[in-house]
Amino acid sequence: MLASKKSEARQEPQTGSGGDLPRGVSKADTVNKPSGASKGSPQQTGLSTLQKKMQQKLKGARFRWINEAMYTETGAHTFKMVQADPSIFEEYHQGFAAQVQKWPVNPVDIFIGQLQGRSRAVVADLGCGEAALSAAVGAQHTVHSFDLVAHNERITACNIADVPLPDESVDVAIFSLALMGTDFIKFVREASRILRTGGELKIAEVVSRIADVSAFVTALEGQ
């Protein structure tokens, strides 16, 4: 049970479902030059400014659609969806990376800093994205990285409600903007299963998902 384990819910300034701006704040595909195109013409340099703006709007709309789907479906459904078409996950992370550039802070960087300052531990990064945390502290800690698609060799693809780790086998479980799904409480219960007694559960989520941090932590401790 999480009641016997340390829970930490952090409200980081992040984007949420639908592409909300971060709290506290406050590429186009090139085209071949047509034959006979004059020097300095828009065709020579790629898409026009208007075309680039339209393309970015389309990419943003696609990202918001995928983001919304991940928040409004179960983890199992989303896992099947992206396994059937991994390009969906790639599009999502391209859009996510673009959003991150606008944030004053990335919660993954905060978790990296915390782990760099502690003794060796076994860490589960649940919903790891491109496994930036493992890349940063993998030499210091044992890091197990899980997400819907194995973006690189550090990652194990799975539904994070069912990760391939034994009971009570990790010291730190991390969800960095990863409680995406109507059944996200199953993700938390899975973290409880793999955490050792006295282990740490670290969560960074959008403000709209955790309006009352104290109530959220109390709810987690009851799982």
Side-chain angles (χ1 to χ4, degrees):
M1 301 291 290
L2 284 177
S4 63
K5 298 167 183 176
K6 178 181 176 183
S7 299
E8 177 181 343
R10 299 181 61 87
Q11 286 184 304
E12 302 297 343
Q14 304 300 332
T15 55
S17 176
D20 298 332
L21 288 175
R23 187 184 64 155
V25 176
S26 331
K27 113 189 154 206
D29 295 328
T30 58
V31 296
N32 292 329
K33 174 183 174 182
S35 176
S38 61
K39 182 178 180 180
S41 66
Q43 291 90 345
Q44 185 177 20
T45 57
L47 300 178
S48 68
T49 300
L50 177 60
Q51 287 173 320
K52 288 179 181 180
K53 287 182 179 179
M54 292 297 294
Q55 188 179 68
Q56 288 302 110
K57 285 185 178 181
L58 289 172
K59 286 183 177 180
R62 176 69 170 170
F63 168 75
R64 288 189 293 273
W65 178 85
I66 297 172
N67 194 53
E68 184 70 18
M70 289 181 172
Y71 272 101
T72 57
E73 297 287 354
T74 65
H77 180 277
T78 302
F79 180 59
K80 290 179 181 178
M81 178 179 71
V82 299
Q83 285 296 304
D85 184 2
S87 67
I88 292 175
F89 198 66
E90 183 66 27
E91 287 182 80
Y92 171 78
H93 275 285
Q94 287 177 358
F96 184 82
Q99 294 289 328
V100 168
Q101 298 303 314
K102 304 174 185 178
W103 300 344
V105 63
N106 186 338
V108 172
D109 293 333
I110 293 175
F111 293 141
I112 288 171
Q114 292 174 349
L115 290 170
Q116 287 174 333
R118 63 166 292 162
S119 57
R120 186 169 181 82
V122 179
V123 181
D125 187 4
L126 303 158
C128 65
E130 298 180 359
L133 189 143
S134 176
V137 301
Q140 179 183 355
H141 302 287
T142 299
V143 181
H144 301 286
S145 303
F146 303 102
D147 215 320
L148 298 170
V149 170
H151 187 82
N152 56 51
E153 70 282 355
R154 297 177 182 273
I155 302 168
T156 298
C158 67
N159 175 4
I160 57 174
D162 183 21
V163 300
L165 287 177
D167 294 353
E168 299 196 6
S169 57
V170 306
D171 302 300
V172 183
I174 293 175
F175 292 99
S176 183
L177 301 179
L179 298 182
M180 301 178 70
T182 56
D183 59 344
F184 73 87
I185 200 65
K186 291 182 179 180
F187 306 164
V188 176
R189 288 173 181 160
E190 183 69 346
S192 178
R193 180 187 70 79
I194 64 176
L195 271 171
R196 297 187 178 108
T197 299
E200 298 177 18
L201 173 62
K202 295 178 179 288
I203 297 173
E205 260 302 338
V206 294
V207 175
S208 60
R209 300 255 314 156
I210 309 177
D212 186 331
V213 174
S214 296
F216 182 74
V217 171
T218 299
L220 294 185
E221 291 176 339
Q223 297 304 312

